[in-house]
Amino acid sequence: MLEGKRILLIIAGGIAAYKSLDLIRRFRERGASVRAILTKAGAEFVTPLAVAALASEKAYTELFSLLDESAMGHIRLSRECDAIVVAPATADLLAKMAAGLADDLASTVLLAANKPILVAPGMNVEMWNNAATRRNVERLAADGVRFIGPAAGDLACGEVGIGRMAEVAAIIDAAQTLLATPTAGASLKGRTALVTAGPTREPIDPVRYVSNYSSGKQGFAIAVALAARGAETTLIVGPTDVAPPAGIRRVEVETAADMLAACQAALPVDIAVFSAAVADWRVARRNELKLKKDGDAPTLALIENPDILATIAKHPQTRPTLVVGFAAETGHVVARARDKLTRKGCDWIVANDVTGGAVFGGDRNRVHLLAGETTEAWPELSKDEVAARLVERIASHFAGRLAAE
Ligand code: C5P
């Protein structure tokens, strides 16, 4: 899979730089070509001569070298490759990348890059755990940079913990995956999203209501994953027992009518995911006073609630670019979900079998993803993993649209 691929390898100043020499050999063994850039500190750990000898090409080090810039400018370096691999990536280089700094050749090429980037960090455990590095890694991941490692173990500094650069074989595998799915890890920065989650509560009187067992967990996980990818996300949530995630804009609602109004207020958005278990019916006439037990048991007349998903998906002016619905079914899951996809006018449907009731409130889910004409059966996964995969697909979808534009 690496045959003919052009890897731009950036070697920063960490002790793991010695492994990068082997990395060059292994990439080339698999048919890839490697062009390397060393940071100033990187060149203290391995020599440009050794790197050039293994890559069979000059190793680049200087931004302001007249010779280099005229022969091979930083823009060309960033263009003439299929992927950029940073190994080892130091805390310093990650900080520069996260901040968008460009004060040497490596950071300038990274800032100018329009290719997928894979980063293999290698550093002391405390540097890796430092709040600043945590922030930088999170920011870079949201920007679409992919990470491999670091691993736990003995560190060159004598301490033990997470910080060892991933093994060469693991970096090669990750680079292969990156090249096979270049839009994976794509950012959703600049996109807006709304997610509905949890049940709705339809009052009978001031103290009683009709509702369902939805915990909101799946929707929460989706909102978190969208926000982590950089989408500006609004979570519209009904009353649940599970605390909604912190740090995400949240609108709390009670009834289906409230939820519809909150969704409409959040428009326009690029992405809308409707994972709420909206009550299909509400009590036709809400009693202002508590129903009394004297006399016959009351009969509750129900009327249909608005279908939030269908209302928003079918709106000619404000329809989000991508509308994703959920379908909780008991039996004939795919057929029913496909019917729902058409009927409600959504683009994708996540369908799950809720026979037995283990999904509501549980942490795991087995779903089918119906995207347009295609149907995929996903294995049983945690709700977090379902969310991660779904958001990966959403990000790839938008990255693909961008490429087509
Ligand atoms: O028809 P059903 O309730 O199975 O449809 C499920 C999908 O429709 C979910 O995405 C759910 O959030 C959405 N829905 C809605 N408003 C309703 C009923 C369902 O948005 N009133």
Side-chain angles (χ1 to χ4, degrees), residues 242-258:
V242 180
I248 291 179
R249 179 150 31 112
R250 186 168 86 222
V251 183
E252 291 182 6
V253 296
E254 191 164 324
T255 65
D258 296 344

Side-chain angles (χ1 to χ4, degrees), residues 45-111:
F45 285 90
V46 288
T47 68
L49 190 61
V51 170
L54 289 166
S56 297
E57 186 173 347
K58 177 184 162 49
Y60 294 84
T61 51
E62 305 264 341
L63 179 59
F64 297 112
S65 149
L66 201 55
L67 268 180
D68 280 2
E69 272 293 306
S70 53
M72 172 68 71
H74 59 275
I75 302 294
R76 249 181 83 194
L77 277 170
S78 70
R79 294 292 176 272
E80 291 183 3
C81 66
D82 298 302
I84 301 180
V85 177
V86 189
T90 55
D92 176 66
L93 186 53
L94 292 178
K96 277 188 191 167
M97 289 171 74
L101 291 178
D103 65 352
D104 63 1
L105 182 61
S107 53
T108 305
V109 164
L110 284 161
L111 193 64

Side-chain angles (χ1 to χ4, degrees), residues 196 256 259 273-280 305-310 324-329 340 343-344 349:
T196 69
M259 189 174 268
V273 181
F274 296 92
S275 65
V278 183
D280 289 317
N305 264 331
D307 191 306
I308 300 168
L309 164 59
V324 184
F326 271 69
E329 304 290 348
K340 207 163 276 182
R343 203 158 29 82
K344 298 203 178 203
I349 276 217

